[in-house]
Amino acid sequence: MRSRTRTLFTPRLPLVSALALTLLATSCASEPEVPEPVAAAVERGSTQSGALLIEDAWMPEPANPEVGVVYLAVTNTAATADAVTGVHTSASPDADLCNTETTESGAGAMRVVDEIPVPAGGTTTFVDGGYHVMVNDIPEPLAVGDAVTVTLTFASGSEAEVEVPVQEMTGPAPDHSGHDDPHGHH
């Protein structure tokens, strides 16, 4: 029986070795695989009004269906500074310009601001933990794929309207519990 066992497995060993070498040689000789893109670049809102360019505008899908936030970038190509002084949205008649500031204890606290400066020849970015637009008392829940019209008014008298897509949240949800709003919005 011993010789029979050796006979059955002995011819297979060279065959398996030859197959392994063939696969190794073939894989080394072939061109490297180029990974497919995971997803197409996500389209975000943009518009231009005179010397003001609004780009990368988006709204993360609200974790709380009654409150949303809009992020974007405003570039001012003019030789004089400007400022965002107002905001209106199609999602709710109640929207505020806000800033998150660090308190003495190191915690972040949000507050409504009257204006957001946009320097001459510079860009102001609305981001989590900084300047942003709060959309309060949203009557109808927003979902990924929806769009919100956001109108920004500027100290210069300019106005810019941008379509802002609602997209999946990328990263941890922002904490809007510290929103220091005199209207009582959270």
Side-chain angles (χ1 to χ4, degrees):
M1 261 189 146
R2 259 191 160 163
S3 62
R4 189 168 193 187
T5 304
R6 284 185 187 159
T7 309
L8 287 177
F9 291 106
T10 304
R12 288 186 182 175
L13 186 58
L15 179 61
V16 170
S17 298
L19 182 58
L21 286 174
T22 303
L23 288 173
L24 181 62
T26 307
S27 67
C28 291
S30 65
E31 293 182 31
E33 288 186 34
V34 177
E36 294 285 327
V38 175
V42 178
E43 193 71 29
R44 294 198 170 160
S46 65
T47 193
Q48 186 162 1
S49 177
L52 299 164
L53 176 63
I54 289 78
E55 297 178 290
D56 203 26
W58 71 293
M59 173 186 264
E61 182 179 27
N64 173 345
E66 296 176 5
V67 180
V69 64
V70 174
Y71 302 123
L72 51 87
V74 181
T75 300
N76 180 4
T77 61
T80 57
D82 208 338
V84 181
T85 57
V87 62
H88 302 282
T89 74
S90 63
S92 172
D94 186 3
D96 296 307
L97 298 173
C98 295
N99 189 22
T100 302
E101 298 172 347
T102 304
T103 64
E104 288 179 19
S105 67
M110 281 185 271
R111 67 179 181 92
V112 174
V113 296
D114 293 329
E115 66 179 40
I116 298 175
V118 185
T123 300
T124 298
T125 306
F126 291 43
V127 296
D128 186 28
Y131 292 119
H132 57 278
V133 172
M134 286 299 301
V135 183
N136 307 298
D137 301 324
I138 300 171
E140 297 292 324
L142 296 169
V144 172
D146 290 341
V148 174
T149 303
V150 175
T151 305
L152 301 173
T153 54
F154 294 86
S156 63
S158 294
E159 190 171 274
E161 184 177 285
V162 61
E163 284 297 308
V164 177
V166 177
Q167 299 176 335
E168 286 186 31
M169 171 60 75
T170 56
D175 178 12
H176 296 293
S177 61
H179 193 109
D180 183 18
D181 183 346
H183 303 293
H185 302 297
H186 296 287

